[in-house]
Amino acid sequence: HASALAGEHDTGRDWLVFTWDGVGLGEDGTLWGGEALSGKPGAWQRVATLRPFYLPGGDKAAREPWRSALAVCWEIGRQWKPPGRNEQDLKLLQHAWQRRLNSPQTSAVGRLFDATAALAGICQTASFEGQGPMWLEASCRKQADPVELPLQHNENGLWQSDWQPLVEALLDAGWSTAEQAARVHATLAQTVVQQAIHIRQQQPVECIGLCGGVFQNRVLCEQAITQLEANDFKVYLNEQIPMNDGGLSFGQIIEYGAQQE
């Protein structure tokens, strides 16, 4: 994703690219999808991410957002029951999750969006991947204040945003569906900006890129761009190459070519 965006605009400059998507295999063997990469094609460095969680059922979570919702709740020690799910089946699923059976770890924003869509009561089961986030976006009726997420260095030296306060607010605040949707988008837009500002304090940041399927979300993208530009960042999006998986082959070509130089 990052190389596709850089390849469309300028492969020679240094970038800070937020690659937010569904799951993709990362260099550490976990499933990435909420990363910030610094550098240029052929020389990317992962500098920021989101708190990871374990997906019960693995690939099934892409079509069953309630699984992602359970995962983030279990991760923080909270209980939540998906509508229409058998209690005994959920206990068995949690037991497997606790033992990390068919429960890969992920930092994907796409799965976090799924979780929030399920917690907001918008989408428990999807007929196509991304349905939950799309319905959550469609539920936004106004802007809202973000939930403040902690940002700190993790054990690998990456800036890591912790989504726990957002999940707790969705469980406890008693917001309407529209307000829940608005808060989720405002919070994740602010997360991009907070990470960018903290990274800029450590290294020069000339250009910000936003790519990956998550940034097809117009509400999130527009809020993130507005706030980034207000903080003196130059922001770039894919214009001719798809920002979702449709642009991956182009990105692979750009990355391979850079590695041969």
Side-chain angles (χ1 to χ4, degrees):
H1 287 307
S3 291
L5 187 144
E8 183 175 344
H9 292 286
D10 188 345
T11 58
R13 66 175 51 164
D14 288 324
W15 291 87
L16 175 61
V17 183
F18 290 87
T19 56
W20 285 13
D21 206 348
V23 296
L25 184 62
E27 292 181 348
D28 60 358
T30 65
L31 302 178
W32 290 5
E35 321 313 314
L37 305 179
S38 175
K40 62 184 67 175
W44 295 111
Q45 179 183 3
R46 186 185 184 211
V47 291
T49 187
L50 270 70
R51 175 179 175 175
F53 56 95
Y54 293 88
L55 284 174
D59 289 342
K60 288 184 177 181
R63 296 293 181 90
E64 298 179 335
W66 60 268
R67 292 178 181 268
S68 293
L70 280 176
V72 296
C73 290
W74 289 341
E75 185 79 27
I76 63 176
R78 296 291 299 269
Q79 293 298 315
W80 174 77
K81 186 178 183 300
R85 297 292 159 181
N86 180 273
E87 191 71 40
Q88 186 61 33
D89 289 344
L90 293 178
K91 289 181 179 180
L92 291 174
L93 184 64
Q94 186 173 16
H95 181 67
W97 176 86
Q98 290 169 336
R99 299 182 64 185
R100 306 303 184 227
L101 298 176
N102 193 27
S103 300
Q105 189 180 53
T106 185
S107 56
V109 178
R111 298 292 81 82
L112 181 60
F113 257 116
D114 280 341
T116 58
L119 292 175
I122 292 172
C123 182
Q124 305 298 333
T125 303
S127 58
F128 57 90
E129 187 172 355
Q131 182 177 349
M134 289 175 64
W135 284 11
L136 192 70
E137 178 189 6
S139 298
C140 288
R141 297 290 181 266
K142 59 181 180 179
Q143 290 191 343
D145 293 331
V147 177
E148 296 291 333
L149 301 188
L151 176 62
Q152 58 187 8
H153 278 112
N154 66 12
E155 65 275 10
N156 297 315
L158 305 175
W159 286 109
Q160 180 174 293
S161 298
D162 186 353
W163 38 258
Q164 180 169 341
L166 175 61
V167 172
E168 290 179 335
L170 293 174
L171 291 170
D172 298 335
W175 295 325
S176 67
T177 298
E179 187 169 7
Q180 290 183 74
R183 298 270 186 171
V184 170
H185 286 80
T187 300
L188 292 176
Q190 186 185 66
T191 296
V192 173
V193 180
Q194 285 181 329
Q195 290 188 355
I197 290 173
H198 280 76
I199 293 166
R200 184 170 61 181
Q201 292 171 352
Q202 296 181 314
Q203 64 187 63
V205 175
E206 180 182 356
C207 301
I208 298 282
L210 304 178
C211 62
V214 167
F215 286 110
Q216 293 179 117
N217 183 314
R218 182 173 180 176
V219 174
L220 172 66
C221 203
E222 288 182 348
Q223 290 188 22
I225 291 172
T226 297
Q227 294 178 46
L228 286 166
E229 291 179 341
N231 283 277
D232 299 320
F233 290 104
K234 295 180 181 179
V235 186
Y236 294 82
L237 304 174
N238 295 95
E239 297 177 2
Q240 300 181 38
I241 302 299
M243 66 170 56
N244 62 4
D245 289 356
L248 284 180
S249 294
F250 176 73
Q252 290 169 339
I253 293 170
I254 296 298
E255 183 68 14
Y256 178 79
Q259 292 178 6
Q260 304 311 304
E261 295 178 356

